Amino acid sequence: MSTIKDIARHAGVSVATVSYVLNNTRYVSPDKRERVIAAVQELNYVPNAAARGLRVRESRTIGLIVSDISNPFYPDLAKACEDVAQQYGYAVHMINTNDQPERMRQAVSQAREGKIDGLIVTTALEADRELLQSLLDREFPVVLAHRRLEGLDADLIESDNYEGGMLAARHMLALGHRRIAFLSGVAGSPISERRVAGYLQAMREAGIDVLAEWVLPGEAKYANSYERMVQYADMAPDTRPTAIINVSDIGAMGVLDAAADRGLRVPEDVAVMGFDDLFLAAFRSVRLTTVRIPRYELGRQATELLLKRIGKAKTERRHVVLPVDLVVRKTCGSEQADG
Amino acid sequence: MSTIKDIARHAGVSVATVSYVLNNTRYVSPDKRERVIAAVQELNYVPNAAARGLRVRESRTIGLIVSDISNPFYPDLAKACEDVAQQYGYAVHMINTNDQPERMRQAVSQAREGKIDGLIVTTALEADRELLQSLLDREFPVVLAHRRLEGLDADLIESDNYEGGMLAARHMLALGHRRIAFLSGVAGSPISERRVAGYLQAMREAGIDVLAEWVLPGEAKYANSYERMVQYADMAPDTRPTAIINVSDIGAMGVLDAAADRGLRVPEDVAVMGFDDLFLAAFRSVRLTTVRIPRYELGRQATELLLKRIGKAKTERRHVVLPVDLVVRKTCGSEQADG
DNA sequence: GTGAAAGCGCTAACAC
DNA sequence: GTGTTAGCGCTTTCAC
């Protein structure tokens, strides 16, 4: 493994000159420049990242925190993050927290060790607030993506969850439904809460009193949503909700399967919607009507913003809200069925 | 940001002593040890990774190369990788190559810069051979996961693709099928080729001549598999394959959808199988019979092996083949339908 | 236009 | 049992 000294010796110049041509940081005569370049080629030289990092105090690496990369919501976001990071010459550390604060602590540690120059957090939990705040206090670049943490003064890229909730409810209302349920996520999830709020608003506008039993918190996962749907299915047909909005597509799959298992036809007996617009929502056998969340864009913009932040420290905090849209397919039996 | 010097001063000891207690690398009297620990606590000290890395020539980071994290095959593998890396105190760089050799080059560059101590490659293409070999020549730890690269002398963790192909074909044969097609992946993909080989072997054992038109190479993706299935659907019923094995579950979804779009019933008119056993294969509306590939285990073992390799250089090359199994659901109309 | 040299924060060899 | 110090490979100031 050759070092800058080897190059200098080989090219008959000083190490300073080598550094200057490598980083284009000062004029060097064409002659020497060429000799340096030749030497680099010849010795197959690659600068050592640790040495450079130690000197200039940067790692050219960013951290990406997700709760669980095997949750199909995240891969697109992660892809976007890596795509833009790569483009700017940054590497990305992927960290799965599994929602354990302990893992978040390790991420913060990496930040403080200088292993990463900035952090994208897609899964900011209440339990992480203090940790994240400590980073912010040190002016360490942090951007929240997808999930907000109320009151934390960090950049935030999210999607319009409130609007999404409204869109979903209004769609069901327009189809003539009145008893519309919302299977939300865990209590305290701001994403879920915003969506519920939008739903409630649309219901209010329609003059409908929302029964407590229509808003069932739980996990946005398949199994838990399945169970919640079973409860509905067991209610009397004239009181049972005729429409179910699930806070995630994966959950909506659980709803769909529970309905089928209980002999309920979709959309005739019960209409179903999800959130996210995962790839699987488009399969012919699924055709899930859903609210599309721009996952790639979330990741892209979060990374762009973080990189900007890393460059020139103190800019005003940014809060961007990406638009969502309704994707009408078959599970609500809409007029706009798309084959 | 405090340094080891600050700690030394604060604790009234030398920097060496601080280093010794931090790394537990030599006996230090309880008295001093405690003072150091107190100082670390008090000044909220975290060692600088670049400095340490420069000195000891390690980054405590591994690289994970996937072609595309948004391909649902990879997240589980990536999760496993991160889980075990974390456990051993390593971070993981995720690199999406999108099958562009250029991206692989960047990964190799990171290796040579010392940003990573080892590399897991899940997507070794023929075009990457030279690059990978150059790493191996430098004794840089590389383990191939999932996809082999024939003749490359690196550790390899793969699944039993040949057996998988046999399992699939035999299942179809046992159900009475004779005209069994195999929609393979891109020509040259060793995974696909092994599966096809297994299928061919099972067909041979059954005494069936495999028609050329039954083995259609293409992309393992949804759209391309859909198109290939359309071709079959357009054949006369008495010559058309009655069973389709697709090299991936995602592709099998395309097959399923194409069949439905062409008015073919599954499994009555055509039986369908996939490979992988993605989460979506289990949905009630899908119930895809498939060959399960142990994705998490692939990632886990690859990472364990890589970490072992990083520790003590020269061990014998390992080649492990993980067993696969048949998951019988509904798309072949098997006797063992599981509701 | 170029070079000498200090120093980033750490580990570990060497000395006592 | 502990301290002094060289040096990892690089960037950049300062001097010419």
Side-chain angles (χ1 to χ4, degrees):
Chain A
M1 207 82 306
S2 46
T3 75
I4 198 171
K5 265 191 194 159
D6 300 323
I7 303 303
R9 196 176 317 123
H10 202 268
V13 300
S14 72
V15 294
T17 299
V18 176
S19 176
Y20 295 138
V21 351
L22 255 30
N23 300 297
N24 245 311
T25 179
R26 178 158 107 173
Y27 181 85
V28 171
S29 69
D31 168 44
K32 299 201 170 178
R33 163 176 299 273
E34 258 163 55
R35 266 149 55 206
V36 168
I37 291 171
V40 165
Q41 214 90 46
E42 213 159 320
L43 302 190
N44 206 346
Y45 169 74
V46 175
N48 179 283
R52 175 170 213 288
L54 174 58
R55 184 59 229 234
V56 306
R57 336 195 76 66
E58 64 172 34
S59 59
R60 300 223 134 234
T61 300
I62 62 176
L64 171 67
I65 297 192
V66 298
S67 66
D68 178 6
I69 191 69
S70 68
N71 172 338
F73 182 88
Y74 295 111
D76 283 340
L77 196 155
K79 179 91 177 305
C81 176
E82 217 260 335
D83 278 352
V84 354
Q86 185 108 226
Q87 202 175 304
Y88 286 86
Y90 277 74
V92 5
H93 267 183
M94 187 191 59
I95 303 157
N96 286 279
T97 61
N98 299 321
D99 287 339
Q100 294 162 7
E102 172 50 23
R103 292 277 192 120
M104 181 66 88
R105 191 159 299 122
Q106 292 179 19
V108 169
S109 219
Q110 291 198 8
R112 303 208 40 217
E113 287 169 22
K115 279 190 113 168
I116 55 180
D117 297 339
L119 195 56
I120 294 176
V121 182
T122 61
T123 297
L125 260 27
E126 194 51 55
D128 304 321
R129 178 186 296 280
E130 221 175 314
L131 241 21
L132 258 15
Q133 187 60 57
S134 77
L135 247 27
L136 260 11
D137 289 346
R138 295 186 164 77
E139 314 228 350
F140 186 87
V142 173
V143 359
L144 263 33
H146 184 45
R147 183 160 186 166
R148 58 166 78 176
L149 221 189
E150 218 64 68
L152 193 81
D153 186 31
D155 292 302
L156 168 64
I157 313 279
E158 62 177 350
S159 49
D160 198 340
N161 292 305
Y162 182 81
E163 173 75 7
M166 293 232 302
L167 248 33
R170 282 185 186 152
H171 182 63
M172 291 300 197
L173 287 164
L175 292 170
H177 292 282
R178 286 296 168 265
R179 299 199 303 276
I180 304 169
F182 197 109
L183 298 188
S184 67
V186 289
S189 154
I191 297 165
S192 178
E193 275 170 7
R194 293 300 291 159
R195 289 176 187 173
V196 170
Y199 150 85
L200 291 174
Q201 174 62 22
M203 294 297 270
R204 197 173 309 123
E205 285 173 3
I208 298 178
D209 273 341
V210 173
L211 268 46
E213 66 193 37
W214 293 352
V215 183
L216 247 43
E219 280 183 288
K221 309 261 178 78
Y222 177 92
N224 187 265
S225 298
Y226 183 101
E227 284 161 25
R228 284 182 284 170
M229 181 59 204
V230 166
Q231 294 182 32
Y232 286 141
D234 288 346
M235 289 170 65
D238 57 335
T239 60
R240 169 212 304 153
T242 61
I244 314 284
I245 303 170
N246 194 289
V247 76
S248 78
D249 280 357
I250 289 290
M253 292 306 297
V255 170
L256 251 23
D257 287 2
D261 285 348
R262 290 295 163 139
L264 261 31
R265 291 162 309 161
V266 173
E268 295 83 351
D269 299 325
V270 60
V272 178
M273 283 187 70
F275 271 84
D276 292 346
D277 195 24
L278 300 181
F279 189 60
L280 62 87
F283 292 146
R284 189 189 204 280
S285 47
V286 177
R287 287 270 183 243
L288 179 65
T289 291
T290 189
V291 175
R292 193 182 147 267
I293 303 297
R295 301 186 293 283
Y296 188 91
E297 193 60 17
L298 239 21
R300 198 186 67 74
Q301 294 208 23
T303 312
E304 295 272 10
L305 184 50
L306 181 67
L307 260 18
K308 211 158 285 168
R309 188 64 73 219
I310 289 173
K312 42 189 148 345
K314 281 227 158 187
T315 331
E316 190 133 320
R317 292 285 183 250
R318 212 81 65 77
H319 175 186
V320 358
V321 179
L322 300 178
V324 300
D325 38 50
L326 188 65
V327 181
V328 176
R329 285 194 272 247
K330 286 271 185 71
T331 52
C332 299
S334 161
E335 67 284 15
Q336 298 169 246
D338 63 350
Chain B
M1 211 82 302
S2 45
T3 75
I4 198 171
K5 268 190 194 159
D6 299 324
I7 302 301
R9 198 176 315 124
H10 202 267
V13 300
S14 73
V15 293
T17 300
V18 176
S19 176
Y20 295 138
V21 350
L22 256 29
N23 300 300
N24 245 312
T25 180
R26 178 157 105 173
Y27 181 84
V28 172
S29 70
D31 168 44
K32 297 200 170 178
R33 165 177 296 275
E34 257 163 55
R35 266 150 56 206
V36 167
I37 292 173
V40 165
Q41 212 91 47
E42 213 159 321
L43 302 189
N44 206 346
Y45 169 75
V46 176
N48 179 283
R52 175 171 212 289
L54 174 57
R55 185 59 229 234
V56 305
R57 338 194 73 67
E58 66 172 34
S59 59
R60 301 223 133 231
T61 299
I62 62 176
L64 171 68
I65 298 194
V66 298
S67 67
D68 178 5
I69 190 69
S70 67
N71 172 338
F73 182 87
Y74 294 111
D76 284 339
L77 195 155
K79 178 92 179 303
C81 174
E82 217 260 336
D83 278 352
V84 353
Q86 186 108 223
Q87 203 176 302
Y88 286 86
Y90 277 74
V92 6
H93 268 181
M94 187 192 59
I95 302 158
N96 286 278
T97 60
N98 299 320
D99 286 338
Q100 294 162 6
E102 171 51 23
R103 292 277 192 120
M104 182 67 88
R105 191 159 300 123
Q106 293 179 19
V108 170
S109 219
Q110 290 197 9
R112 304 210 37 220
E113 287 168 22
K115 280 190 112 168
I116 54 180
D117 298 338
L119 194 56
I120 293 176
V121 182
T122 62
T123 297
L125 260 27
E126 195 49 57
D128 305 322
R129 178 186 298 278
E130 221 175 316
L131 242 20
L132 257 16
Q133 187 61 57
S134 77
L135 247 25
L136 259 13
D137 290 346
R138 296 188 164 78
E139 311 228 351
F140 186 87
V142 174
V143 359
L144 263 31
H146 183 44
R147 184 163 185 162
R148 58 167 77 175
L149 221 190
E150 217 65 68
L152 193 80
D153 184 31
D155 293 301
L156 169 64
I157 313 280
E158 62 176 349
S159 48
D160 197 340
N161 291 305
Y162 182 82
E163 171 74 9
M166 293 232 302
L167 248 31
R170 282 185 185 154
H171 182 63
M172 290 300 197
L173 288 164
L175 292 170
H177 292 282
R178 286 296 168 266
R179 301 199 301 277
I180 303 171
F182 197 109
L183 299 187
S184 68
V186 290
S189 154
I191 297 165
S192 179
E193 275 170 7
R194 293 299 292 158
R195 290 177 187 172
V196 169
Y199 150 86
L200 290 174
Q201 173 62 20
M203 295 296 272
R204 194 174 310 122
E205 284 173 4
I208 297 178
D209 271 343
V210 173
L211 268 46
E213 66 193 37
W214 292 352
V215 182
L216 247 43
E219 281 182 288
K221 307 261 178 83
Y222 177 91
N224 187 266
S225 297
Y226 182 101
E227 284 161 23
R228 283 181 283 170
M229 181 60 205
V230 166
Q231 294 181 35
Y232 286 142
D234 289 345
M235 291 170 65
D238 58 335
T239 61
R240 171 212 302 154
T242 61
I244 314 285
I245 303 171
N246 195 288
V247 76
S248 78
D249 280 356
I250 289 289
M253 293 306 297
V255 171
L256 251 20
D257 287 2
D261 286 347
R262 290 294 164 140
L264 260 32
R265 289 163 310 161
V266 173
E268 294 83 354
D269 300 326
V270 61
V272 177
M273 281 187 72
F275 272 84
D276 291 347
D277 194 26
L278 300 181
F279 188 60
L280 61 87
F283 292 145
R284 188 187 205 282
S285 48
V286 178
R287 288 269 182 243
L288 179 66
T289 291
T290 190
V291 176
R292 195 183 147 267
I293 304 297
R295 301 187 293 282
Y296 189 91
E297 193 59 15
L298 240 20
R300 195 185 70 74
Q301 294 209 23
T303 312
E304 296 271 11
L305 184 51
L306 181 67
L307 260 18
K308 212 158 286 169
R309 189 64 70 218
I310 289 174
K312 42 189 134 31
K314 283 229 157 186
T315 331
E316 191 132 320
R317 293 284 184 246
R318 213 80 67 76
H319 176 186
V320 359
V321 179
L322 300 179
V324 301
D325 38 49
L326 188 65
V327 181
V328 177
R329 285 194 271 247
K330 287 271 185 75
T331 52
C332 298
S334 160
E335 67 284 18
Q336 297 170 250
D338 61 351

